[in-house]
Amino acid sequence: MKLAFRHFTRAALLASLLSATALPARSADGITIFDWSGYEDPAFHPAYTEKYGSEPEFSFFGDEEEAFQKLRSGFRADLAHPCSQSVVKWREAGLLEPLDTAKLSSWNDILPGIKAMKGLMSGADGKADFLPFEWGNTVLTYRTDKVKPEEVASLKAFADPKFKDRVSIGDNVDDAYALAALAIGLKDWTAMTDDQFKQASDFLREVHKNVRLYWTDNTDISQAMAGGEVDLAWAWNETATTLTADGVPVAMKKDTAEGLSTWVCGYVRLKGGEGDEATQYDFLNAITDPGISAYMVESWGYGHANARGMAAVDPKILADKGYADVDKFVSNTLFQAPMPIELRQKMIAEFEKIKSGY
């Protein structure tokens, strides 16, 4: 989900908003990857670049619903990068091609906790179709020079009138309702009742009164916080990681009373992809190589799905980024697990109303 000033480009995001039927450019023997902007970073797949002497083609989406609709409308690519809350929807829509796990060099090295997640790496038929890549949080993030820790001890701070015009949350239905579910005391959104849905939506309406910016990618929120426009954000680990590295006084508040949200994202093969199958597997093996883990943790603030790679990361770096104790990392969290499609459609429709002021 993505790298601040160093990796994101507005042009890439705008390119993702082209016609749903437009086909991406493709080199004669290359593959096309439908991805979040920023993951084209060559440091994520050095073995691929070394072997082929070039980069794969990338086409970008702003969020998974946009990606889903484009794929349903005929957009073609070979690989894509959905996250835990969307993979079942993509699977049930018939978008995914099964993975040949014998061709995946790190399949057996996926972190046990991720492997154990029901319905994530394979469907009810037992066919594998999702290769985990990275995992992390959406978490309360604040300017330490303008906000005191005690002022953000609760996620309800997002709706506090004193933060009017100083708040930003993602233009992303999953992160928005993860925040709202946590704020009303719900950790399992798959069991959300109609009453809880109303409570969560009402909370987001209160938050909307304070929102200065609904950020679309990490560049938006990073620039807003660095420039002093926003003091309080619901953001990914990456935001604080990159801003801190740039000397901006920002911190994550992981110990709010209600907790934080955790997600897992990964790669899938898409039906209808025209790229060479062996080349696709070379890319998948490159991004799950254990040598990527240290870069993922230190530069992006995310965890890598490869257990061997994570075990080899400097313990001090793991501790600094909050990954020293995985059990603690996922405690007091709402996991963005796959939810009933009907509920997600309700969230999508309601969030659009909320952003429009209704």
Side-chain angles (χ1 to χ4, degrees):
M1 277 183 181
K2 288 116 199 158
L3 228 186
F5 308 111
R6 286 170 282 213
H7 296 291
F8 275 102
T9 64
R10 292 296 298 177
L13 180 62
L14 291 173
S16 76
L17 301 178
L18 295 176
S19 168
T21 57
L23 297 180
R26 180 194 299 280
S27 59
D29 57 353
I31 59 173
T32 297
I33 301 165
F34 197 26
D35 217 327
W36 302 89
S37 181
Y39 283 96
E40 73 275 20
D41 183 354
F44 280 144
H45 51 262
Y48 179 95
T49 306
E50 182 178 355
K51 179 172 182 176
Y52 290 94
S54 63
E55 298 297 304
E57 295 285 346
F58 283 88
S59 185
F60 302 103
F61 55 81
D63 64 39
E64 289 152 276
E65 186 61 22
E66 174 199 330
F68 177 79
Q69 295 301 335
K70 285 187 72 173
L71 290 169
R72 286 288 299 272
S73 299
F75 183 86
R76 291 201 300 273
D78 300 301
L79 304 173
H81 192 173
C83 299
S84 47
Q85 69 277 8
S86 299
V87 67
V88 171
K89 181 177 179 179
W90 289 35
R91 182 182 293 139
E92 292 183 354
L95 298 178
L96 308 186
E97 192 73 35
L99 293 170
D100 184 345
T101 59
K103 296 178 180 178
L104 295 169
S105 57
S106 296
W107 181 257
N108 293 325
D109 294 325
I110 300 300
L111 285 160
I114 294 177
K115 281 184 181 179
M117 293 175 183
K118 185 178 179 181
L120 183 63
M121 294 171 67
S122 60
D125 59 4
K127 292 181 180 179
D129 53 20
F130 179 85
L131 178 64
F133 176 51
E134 89 279 35
W135 51 288
N137 302 125
T138 309
V139 60
L140 189 153
T141 305
Y142 66 103
R143 285 278 306 227
T144 57
D145 57 336
K146 297 183 178 181
V147 179
K148 297 176 181 178
E150 56 268 27
E151 292 180 293
V152 288
S154 167
L155 294 180
K156 292 182 174 62
F158 283 100
D160 190 326
K162 74 172 150 186
F163 290 113
K164 183 172 174 56
D165 296 328
R166 298 165 62 193
V167 164
S168 182
I169 67 173
D171 189 0
N172 178 313
V173 66
D174 301 303
D175 281 337
Y177 270 93
L179 168 63
L182 284 164
I184 66 169
L186 185 64
K187 292 292 195 299
D188 180 5
W189 66 5
T190 66
M192 184 180 284
T193 65
D194 288 344
D195 183 60
Q196 289 169 331
F197 177 77
K198 183 180 185 304
Q199 291 178 50
S201 300
D202 287 346
F203 175 77
L204 289 177
R205 286 187 167 85
E206 292 302 308
V207 174
H208 176 75
K209 297 175 182 178
N210 289 344
V211 168
R212 184 180 184 89
L213 165 73
Y214 284 101
W215 57 268
T216 303
D217 62 38
N218 197 60
T219 299
D220 289 342
I221 185 56
S222 293
Q223 290 179 340
M225 294 197 85
E229 294 180 69
V230 167
D231 298 335
L232 179 61
W234 185 238
W236 301 318
N237 309 68
E238 173 193 348
T239 302
T241 299
T242 55
L243 285 176
T244 300
D246 290 335
V248 180
V250 166
M252 290 180 280
K253 181 71 172 171
K254 292 186 175 182
D255 60 349
T256 61
E258 300 86 0
L260 67 171
S261 183
T262 299
W263 42 261
V264 178
C265 299
Y267 285 87
V268 295
R269 295 184 65 221
L270 296 170
K271 285 187 176 178
E274 299 174 349
D276 178 66
E277 181 177 314
T279 307
Q280 294 177 38
Y281 280 101
D282 282 338
F283 179 83
L284 295 175
N285 287 327
I287 56 106
T288 51
D289 186 283
I292 302 302
S293 300
Y295 175 72
M296 173 79 79
V297 174
E298 187 168 13
S299 295
W300 285 53
Y302 298 146
H304 195 213
N306 190 300
R308 286 197 299 124
M310 289 294 285
V313 177
D314 184 332
K316 185 178 183 304
I317 294 174
L318 287 175
D320 181 56
K321 303 300 181 183
Y323 293 95
D325 185 336
V326 175
D327 290 336
K328 184 177 180 181
F329 182 92
V330 298
S331 66
N332 200 27
T333 188
L334 179 148
F335 174 61
Q336 292 189 20
M339 70 176 72
I341 292 175
E342 298 79 9
L343 175 58
R344 194 162 191 274
Q345 291 304 116
K346 278 177 60 178
M347 289 179 176
I348 291 169
E350 197 69 14
F351 190 45
E352 289 304 314
K353 292 180 185 177
I354 291 167
K355 289 186 297 178
S356 298
Y358 295 103

